[in-house]
Amino acid sequence: MFYVSMFFQYASQYLKTRFTYRVDTAVEILSDLLNQAVNLIFILVVFGHTTLLSGWNRDEIIFIYGFFLIPYALFSAFFNIWDFNERYIVKGEMDRVLTRPVHSLFQIIMERMELESLFGVITGLAVMAYAGMNLSITFTWYDVLIFIVMVIGGMFIYAGIFLSIATIGFWSDSRTDIMPTMYNISNYGRYPVNIYNKIIQFVLTWILPFAFVGVYPASYFLGRNEWYGYAFLTPVMGIIFFAMAVLLWNTGVKKYRGAGN
């Protein structure tokens, strides 16, 4: 209950700040929407030249993209750690965080949250609804529960991978370009993995499992029976990767030497 209370206090202060700068908030939301629109247009352009892509039609891939947007939006809202190394390690703000009686990871997540990214959830649901109507997809009451579990699992996969990368800063305070590179790799998860060669499929499934953020869980709702096993592994992979990230974080905090000489 203590951490729940702390979350709402952080969120309240964050919303007060964002409402103070309404134009900046509106511009950020519009920028995100434009970026999502560009990716959607790219899919439409591709299917302007073909009807199927490795057995997937246009609306199925649009549905996958819509699903992908939802866990990604949650990740962006609550795990905005792109500049962790530079801000908390290089500039020494980690010293401040460690003086407080709250878990360091929780503090950083709360300090770096961007709740406006949650608009991506609305966009994703809208895209899924559009594709779902074209595909005549029907849902049962328990599909809602499965959807929530898979979305949370996808968010934890994202969080686990990027938190693990952030922990490198505890051992090396030099600036790296791993975060942007990993972000570019993560974009492969928004498309069916069988359009790639076998090596990339393996990497996106077991090494950097971004396929569990988009195509695998979405396949369940698309009725792709051959992918059901992978779909239901989504929450398991989320727990495993997030638990590994927290373990690395706790170990890294113990190794942290501070910002002094």
Side-chain angles (χ1 to χ4, degrees), residues 191-259:
Y191 304 111
V193 290
N194 60 331
I195 69 174
Y196 310 121
N197 65 46
K198 297 294 183 181
I199 295 176
I200 295 178
Q201 289 183 43
F202 179 82
V203 171
L204 292 176
T205 301
W206 306 115
I207 309 300
L208 300 171
F210 291 116
F212 287 97
V213 180
V215 60
Y216 287 151
S219 296
Y220 166 78
F221 302 100
L222 291 172
R224 293 274 183 162
N225 298 340
E226 68 272 25
W227 301 106
Y228 273 16
Y230 291 103
F232 286 103
L233 272 178
T234 300
V236 177
M237 296 293 285
I239 292 171
I240 291 173
F241 274 78
F242 190 72
M244 288 173 55
V246 173
L247 179 62
L248 284 171
W249 183 278
N250 291 335
T251 303
V253 168
K254 294 177 182 177
K255 299 291 184 180
Y256 177 65
R257 297 170 297 176

Side-chain angles (χ1 to χ4, degrees), residues 109-174:
I109 289 173
M110 292 297 98
E111 289 182 0
R112 303 299 297 145
M113 77 166 88
E114 290 188 355
L115 296 180
E116 61 269 24
S117 295
L118 292 176
F119 277 91
V121 173
I122 299 174
T123 305
L125 290 173
V127 172
M128 287 178 62
Y130 165 77
M133 287 188 292
N134 290 340
L135 294 167
S136 300
I137 296 176
T138 57
F139 294 91
T140 59
W141 66 268
Y142 56 81
D143 284 335
V144 176
L145 299 177
I146 293 174
F147 173 77
I148 293 172
V149 170
M150 289 185 175
V151 164
I152 294 174
M155 177 192 69
F156 279 142
I157 289 171
Y158 246 111
I161 293 173
F162 283 94
L163 281 175
S164 297
I165 294 172
T167 61
I168 295 174
F170 290 122
W171 285 273
S172 173
D173 58 6
S174 61

Side-chain angles (χ1 to χ4, degrees), residues 24-194:
D24 290 345
T25 302
V27 169
E28 289 182 19
I29 293 173
L30 180 60
S31 177
D32 288 341
L33 291 175
L34 288 174
N35 182 57
Q36 294 159 8
V38 168
N39 292 323
L40 184 57
I41 291 171
F42 172 76
I43 295 174
L44 297 176
V45 169
V46 170
F47 278 95
H49 300 278
T50 183
T51 56
L52 291 175
L53 189 63
S54 294
W56 301 83
N57 64 39
R58 186 196 70 167
D59 291 315
E60 286 176 322
I61 292 185
I62 289 176
F63 185 92
I64 293 169
Y65 175 64
F67 187 97
F68 170 88
L69 289 176
I70 298 173
Y72 177 74
L74 294 174
F75 161 76
S76 299
F78 298 109
F79 295 93
N80 179 28
I81 53 170
W82 309 110
D83 60 347
F84 170 77
N85 184 273
E86 181 174 353
R87 175 173 175 176
Y88 289 92
I89 303 299
V90 176
K91 294 184 178 179
E93 290 198 32
M94 194 67 191
D95 293 0
R96 168 183 58 82
V97 170
L98 293 176
T99 61
R100 297 174 176 173
V102 180
H103 194 278
S104 57
L105 178 57
F106 178 82
Q107 288 185 66
I108 291 171
I109 289 173
M110 292 297 98
E111 289 182 0
R112 303 299 297 145
M113 77 166 88
E114 290 188 355
L115 296 180
E116 61 269 24
S117 295
L118 292 176
F119 277 91
V121 173
I122 299 174
T123 305
L125 290 173
V127 172
M128 287 178 62
Y130 165 77
M133 287 188 292
N134 290 340
L135 294 167
S136 300
I137 296 176
T138 57
F139 294 91
T140 59
W141 66 268
Y142 56 81
D143 284 335
V144 176
L145 299 177
I146 293 174
F147 173 77
I148 293 172
V149 170
M150 289 185 175
V151 164
I152 294 174
M155 177 192 69
F156 279 142
I157 289 171
Y158 246 111
I161 293 173
F162 283 94
L163 281 175
S164 297
I165 294 172
T167 61
I168 295 174
F170 290 122
W171 285 273
S172 173
D173 58 6
S174 61
R175 293 178 175 85
T176 66
D177 294 326
I178 297 179
M179 283 285 192
T181 301
M182 195 59 62
Y183 171 77
N184 291 331
I185 295 174
S186 71
N187 289 329
Y188 288 95
R190 67 179 63 166
Y191 304 111
V193 290
N194 60 331

